[in-house]
Amino acid sequence: MSMTHTLHRKRGPGEAPGDYIVFCMAAQKRNSEGASGKLVAMLDVLAAGAPCNVGDDNRGGILTGLTLEEIRAKAGDKAYMAGVYTSLDQVKAVLVKLKELDTGMSVVVTGDFQEVFEVVRSAGLEPHTINMSLGIFGKRELLPREPVLQITTMCGHSMVCPDHVEHVMDLVRKSKMTAGEAARDLAKPCTCAMFNPDRAESIISQECVGRNRECS
Amino acid sequence: MLIDERSCVGCGECLKYCPMRAISLEGETAKVDQDLCAECGVCARLGVCLEDAFVVPPELPWPRSIRSIFSDPLTEFEATGVTGRGTEEMKTNDVTERYKPGWVGVCVDVGRPNVGCRLRDIDTLARAIALLGVEFETLNPVSYLMESKSMGALMKEVLDERVVSGIIEFTIPVEKVVEVVQALKAVEGEVDTVFSVGVISRVVDGDIPARRHLESAGMSVAPNGKTNVGMGR
């Protein structure tokens, strides 16, 4: 998939970092022919790094109902393999292993630039190109409220709906669902597998239960 | 998307999953407002309907077929060969060198987040951008729909189509980045939606020229974004 899906993840005021995505892909018609095996090997590295979500942007992920074996089996040369992490140590370990694997496929990390640059360099790599968000323009009055937006923008395709977020938040408030169950329910429509359920759980807890569970 | 009225029991379970709020209950049956529906497919894909009442159209006619290309992340756009609304942009720049030092890429993500848009909104913004003499990215669904790239004008027959979002992509010399953002701000009141703006820049010896230009003009850049780590070849 091609787009800016992890670019505009909206952070809450004072929200600590703890939301990182590593994704791997071939450049179509440049180094994509026969790339599926390399991308599956990279998926295995991503999956071994204790991600809270992992999958193939073109097919889905472990929170949309696929198993790792199914993701491997369905992978083609156009696969976009993604892993979502909550700590920089995880990101560094994954980058070091991907560097050792040396597939020649492109790797992108989403997260705070300052943190990511440090981690990238500590893994013996150098930032090449960045994509920066300048924020939201236009009729901002049409947007959902802030905590909902923090959750929905974790799916850049807008497959996670504000009404769905409000619905599960209401269930959590009524103790009919835990914040963790709510977060995993919200991850289901996100076929790119880049939704961070741990962060969503934390936001829902803060919003509905009044306590902020630390991501680990 | 369609609903088989004979199968639907009117439970309303599906309503909250529609990004476009196109599904509503009319009496005992859920109905999809065909004007609002962006053909993203999420309602059917999620399998929330216990009666299996959603009917995926076998093939969408032109120009409605555009809705799926822009809105369903699993639909491939034939011209680019990849799924989704844009291109590989900076994600493979270490291989493609699409964005060279001295140049920046701009991605105007119209309808995002969570609002959706008509292609008419994209047309409005693209026309404003075109006045600056930008180079629109060829392998992009929006550019493909332009009847005049020099004017940024989309084909008239697509203007009323509704999509989850669409991305206008173009490149400019780095020193024009502030002018582009100012041009977008000048017309933001003319669209009936929101749009998110991204700026792509090479990192040159640790320096990010585009960020310097933006911040010196008082424009804020989010602390988080995407970094291509240079592993591709």
Side-chain angles (χ1 to χ4, degrees), chain A residues 2-3 58 78 152 163, chain B residues 21 83 85 87 89 91 114:
Chain A
S2 48
M3 29 126 8
N58 292 304
K78 296 176 181 178
T152 59
D163 289 349
Chain B
R21 289 182 166 169
T83 52
R85 308 160 295 181
T87 66
E89 33 101 354
K91 293 194 285 291
N114 299 122

Side-chain angles (χ1 to χ4, degrees), chain A residues 160-178:
Chain A
V160 178
C161 308
D163 289 349
H164 185 188
V165 177
E166 295 284 14
H167 174 74
V168 296
M169 280 183 170
D170 189 48
L171 292 178
V172 172
R173 284 190 199 98
K174 291 172 178 168
S175 301
K176 292 181 177 177
M177 192 181 246
T178 67

Side-chain angles (χ1 to χ4, degrees), chain B residues 4-233:
Chain B
D4 179 358
E5 292 183 19
R6 293 164 302 175
S7 302
C8 175
V9 294
C11 70
E13 182 62 22
C14 56
L15 271 61
K16 60 183 169 288
Y17 296 103
C18 177
M20 296 291 96
R21 289 182 166 169
I23 310 173
S24 61
L25 274 180
E26 289 184 20
E28 296 293 302
T29 313
K31 291 269 197 321
V32 178
D33 182 323
Q34 293 302 310
D35 181 51
L36 290 179
C37 173
E39 303 289 357
C40 70
V42 72
C43 50
R45 199 162 47 240
L46 269 179
V48 293
C49 180
L50 299 177
E51 308 301 324
D52 210 16
F54 284 105
V55 180
V56 182
E59 192 172 352
L60 295 167
W62 170 266
R64 193 174 178 88
S65 54
I66 288 166
R67 298 187 183 217
S68 175
I69 290 164
F70 282 90
S71 307
D72 185 341
L74 302 182
T75 299
E76 187 174 298
F77 180 51
E78 203 172 329
T80 59
V82 291
T83 52
R85 308 160 295 181
T87 66
E88 291 169 13
E89 33 101 354
M90 52 73 74
K91 293 194 285 291
T92 55
N93 200 45
D94 45 355
V95 175
T96 63
E97 289 289 331
R98 176 179 279 160
Y99 308 102
K100 295 177 171 60
W103 289 77
V104 297
V106 180
C107 305
V108 183
D109 216 328
V110 191
R112 175 181 175 182
N114 299 122
V115 175
C117 66
R118 301 269 175 197
L119 291 196
R120 187 176 304 283
D121 296 316
I122 297 175
D123 179 78
T124 300
L125 293 169
R127 284 173 183 265
I129 292 162
L131 294 173
L132 302 173
V134 307
E135 187 181 334
F136 289 107
E137 167 60 47
T138 307
L139 290 175
N140 168 291
V142 167
S143 305
Y144 180 79
L145 295 174
M146 286 179 181
E147 61 184 17
S148 167
K149 282 198 175 60
S150 62
M151 291 175 61
L154 271 59
M155 301 170 185
K156 289 177 183 63
E157 67 260 39
V158 305
L159 295 179
D160 286 331
E161 296 303 324
R162 186 163 171 78
V163 298
V164 170
S165 64
I167 306 176
I168 305 167
E169 283 183 83
F170 53 94
T171 52
I172 47 165
V174 66
E175 54 273 9
K176 287 186 81 170
V177 66
V178 170
E179 189 183 350
V180 164
V181 179
Q182 286 169 336
L184 287 166
K185 282 185 171 179
V187 294
E188 68 177 329
E190 295 177 28
V191 292
D192 196 24
T193 186
V194 293
F195 55 96
S196 300
V197 179
V199 173
I200 295 163
S201 173
R202 284 288 300 270
V203 182
V204 185
D205 298 326
D207 182 42
I208 303 158
R211 187 154 71 182
R212 275 195 287 105
H213 280 275
L214 291 162
E215 289 177 343
S216 66
M219 294 173 180
S220 61
V221 174
N224 51 314
K226 288 159 51 173
T227 302
N228 179 315
V229 306
M231 275 197 217
R233 62 177 183 274

Side-chain angles (χ1 to χ4, degrees), chain A residues 101-141:
Chain A
L101 201 60
D102 193 28
T103 61
M105 300 290 104
S106 295
V107 175
V108 171
V109 181
T110 299
D112 274 40
F113 289 119
Q114 193 174 340
E115 289 185 330
V116 169
F117 275 34
E118 284 176 17
V119 163
V120 167
R121 286 173 177 145
S122 72
L125 297 158
E126 188 60 32
H128 182 280
T129 308
I130 64 166
N131 198 345
M132 303 172 276
S133 173
L134 304 193
I136 304 168
F137 299 72
K139 287 197 172 174
R140 285 182 285 268
E141 64 270 25

